[in-house]
Amino acid sequence: MDEKIYELITKMYSDITNRLDGIDERLGGVDNRLDGIDLRLDGLDADVKKLGNQLTKLEVELKDDIKALYDGYKQTYEKVTFLESKLDKQEVEIRVVKGGK
């Protein structure tokens, strides 16, 4: 009877060992996949930082361009206002000349 128990325990030990080896192999595969995911995430992180830097650079460039456009608009508006006042003055002078005849 002791021999049957010993064989049963030996068989159980062998089965458990085989299953644990299988689980260990599967966990090793999971580790490899997780390492691959970590590498991909590191790459994505680098890409996000690069895009952030490019966005900051673009914002600075656009800020300068917008300021230049505003300055050009302001100068154009001032020139148009000056020309309108000059035109109004000439229209008054024309009326005076025509009225004087």
Side-chain angles (χ1 to χ4, degrees):
M1 180 103 167
D2 288 336
E3 191 173 313
K4 287 184 179 183
I5 292 175
Y6 179 75
E7 288 177 15
L8 179 62
I9 291 174
T10 304
K11 184 177 179 189
M12 288 174 58
Y13 177 78
S14 176
D15 288 345
I16 290 172
T17 303
N18 288 337
R19 287 184 181 187
L20 288 176
D21 288 343
I23 290 171
D24 191 38
E25 287 177 19
R26 290 176 59 196
L27 287 176
V30 170
D31 280 343
N32 289 338
R33 289 183 9 210
L34 288 176
D35 288 342
I37 290 171
D38 284 344
L39 290 175
R40 289 174 53 198
L41 288 176
D42 289 343
L44 288 174
D45 189 40
D47 289 345
V48 167
K49 286 180 183 178
K50 183 178 176 182
L51 287 174
N53 291 339
Q54 290 174 345
L55 180 61
T56 302
K57 181 180 176 185
L58 184 61
E59 287 173 346
V60 168
E61 290 174 0
L62 286 177
K63 184 179 177 183
D64 292 342
D65 289 346
I66 289 171
K67 185 176 181 204
L69 287 172
Y70 176 73
D71 288 344
Y73 170 79
K74 185 177 175 185
Q75 290 175 355
T76 302
Y77 177 78
E78 290 172 353
K79 189 67 169 181
V80 167
T81 304
F82 171 75
L83 292 174
E84 284 177 344
S85 67
K86 196 171 184 181
L87 182 63
D88 288 343
K89 183 180 175 187
Q90 287 180 353
E91 286 177 357
V92 169
E93 288 176 359
I94 291 172
R95 282 189 215 136
V96 169
V97 170
K98 283 186 176 181
K101 286 187 178 179

